[in-house]
Amino acid sequence: MRYGYWLPVFGGWLRNVEDEGMEASWDYVRRLARRSEEVGYDLTLVAELNLNDIKGVEAPSLDAWSTAAALAAVTERLELMVAVRPTFHNPALLAKQAANIDHIGGGGRLSLNVVSSWWKSEAAMYGVHFEEHDDRYARTAEWLEVVDRAWREDHFSFEGKYYRVEDMVLRPKPLTRPRPVIYAGGESEAAKELIAARCDAYVMHGDPPARVREKVRDMSARRERMGLAPMKFGVAAYAVVRDSEEEARRELGRITDVRQSAAGYGNYRQWLAGTQLEQQVSLEDYSVSNRGLRSGLTGTPEQVAARVEEFEDAGVDLLLLQCSPQLEEMERFAAAVIEPRGSNLAAKAQG
C-alpha cells in the first residue's frame, strides 16, 4: 500500500468546523509536505479549484499549479498528483507547464489527476465556458490525446472538435518515462470508458472495501478488453485513529455535526447537481469531502490497520487520506498505522 493525502489547499475538509487549525497558506502546506516525507507518506494530491468549496467562496484557497511547482523545489521524494480540469487549461500549454515541473522535481514526481469540471458558478466567475457532463468527457478525450502526444512526440498536428495544434514541438520532454502518470476518477459510464482507455490509474470516492472490490474488477475487465496493461487503484478516505473506540466515536460525532447553514453547503449542492454518481450521498457524507467516511478508517490503530488490509485485498494500491488537523493527525496515523504495518511486513519477509 502507498499512502497519500489531500493537500489542504482549502484550509481543511470539515464543512461544519470553521477553523481546523490549518490555514490555506504556502507556509502551512510547505511545512506539511516536508514533514510528510519524513514520516512515511508517498504522495500528495493537490486539488484544483479557484474558489473554496469547503469553507465557502469568500474563504481563501491556494492555486494548484503554482503550489505544486513550489513544492517540487522544496521536497525530495514526494509524488505531486496535481488536479487539472481540461476546461480551464489549453492542453499544449499545460503539457509544457507540467514537463517543466517534472524537471524541477527531478523526474518521476509529477503526475496528473484529470478532473471533470462541476462548478457552474465558478466557471462563470472566472470566464470559462461550462459544458454539460458528457460534453466535458468528449473534450477531455481530445485534451488527453494532445497532452500525451506532446510529451512523447515532436512535430505533430491534431485537429478535433475542441482543440487544434499545428506542427507542435515541446522541449524539454518530461523526465518521467514513458510519461507522467495520469490518474482520473468518475462513476458515469462515459467517465469509466474514457479512464480505462486513456489513463494509468483510477481514483475513487470513499466506499467500503467490498464495494471498491467491485469497481476494481469492473475497471480491470475494461482494461483487459481493450488490451491494455493493468491499472493502479486509489481510494479517498477520512482517517480517525484513536486509542479507544469511544474516543473515535466522539471525534466522529464532532465532525458530522451537520449544519445546512454552513458556508460550503450551497457549493456542495452544485457539486451533486453537476455529477453522475452511482449512489445517493447523505448529509453525513457532506460533512467531509469525497465520501471519505464511507471508507471506514475510523477506530483504534488495530481496527484501522485491519481495514487497510481489506483495501489491499480488494486491489487498492493507494490510500488518499484526509484528516483534521492535517499535520497532527497525519503524524498520528503514521505512528499508529504506517510504521507498525511496515515493521510487520518486513518481519514477515525476513521470516
Side-chain angles (χ1 to χ4, degrees), residues 126-198:
Y126 279 80
V128 175
H129 177 63
F130 187 82
E131 293 164 322
E132 295 307 316
H133 186 273
D134 285 2
D135 291 333
R136 296 200 296 269
Y137 282 101
R139 175 187 290 275
T140 298
E142 288 189 14
W143 192 94
L144 284 169
E145 181 171 349
V146 173
V147 169
D148 180 66
R149 293 184 67 184
W151 283 342
R152 298 174 187 259
E153 306 174 28
D154 277 324
H155 298 288
F156 81 93
S157 298
F158 174 88
E159 184 168 358
K161 178 180 178 181
Y162 302 96
Y163 301 108
R164 177 179 178 179
V165 298
E166 297 181 7
D167 195 30
M168 184 183 171
V169 173
L170 190 154
R171 296 292 179 93
K173 301 293 187 191
L175 290 174
T176 306
R177 295 288 186 269
R179 70 177 187 194
V181 174
I182 297 177
Y183 300 80
E187 297 185 350
S188 69
E189 186 63 22
K192 288 185 285 191
E193 279 295 288
L194 175 63
I195 294 165
R198 298 291 184 90

Side-chain angles (χ1 to χ4, degrees), residues 65 69 72 93-107 110 151 170-175:
W65 283 88
L93 296 176
L94 189 282
K96 177 73 174 180
Q97 186 177 357
N100 199 58
I101 296 175
D102 194 46
H103 279 263
I104 293 171
L110 188 280
W151 283 342
L170 190 154
R171 296 292 179 93
K173 301 293 187 191
L175 290 174

Side-chain angles (χ1 to χ4, degrees), residues 53 118-119 260-272 286:
D53 82 317
W118 58 265
W119 200 350
Q260 294 190 27
S261 61
Y265 188 75
N267 314 328
Y268 168 75
R269 299 301 304 175
Q270 282 198 46
W271 173 71
L272 283 182
Y286 154 76

Side-chain angles (χ1 to χ4, degrees), residues 248-324:
R249 284 195 299 270
R250 190 158 54 242
E251 173 65 5
L252 191 61
R254 182 184 76 88
I255 67 176
T256 56
D257 181 15
V258 174
R259 294 182 294 108
Q260 294 190 27
S261 61
Y265 188 75
N267 314 328
Y268 168 75
R269 299 301 304 175
Q270 282 198 46
W271 173 71
L272 283 182
T275 59
Q276 292 183 14
L277 299 177
E278 294 173 334
Q279 303 176 58
Q280 293 295 313
V281 181
S282 70
L283 279 176
E284 184 174 290
D285 292 320
Y286 154 76
S287 299
V288 305
S289 66
N290 302 96
R291 294 202 313 249
L293 290 174
R294 290 194 187 186
S295 294
L297 295 189
T298 299
T300 66
E302 295 76 19
Q303 290 171 327
V304 173
R307 192 69 159 183
V308 172
E309 289 190 15
E310 290 183 54
F311 279 114
E312 283 184 331
D313 290 342
V316 173
D317 308 283
L318 170 68
L319 287 176
L320 290 165
L321 302 175
Q322 294 175 350
C323 43
S324 178

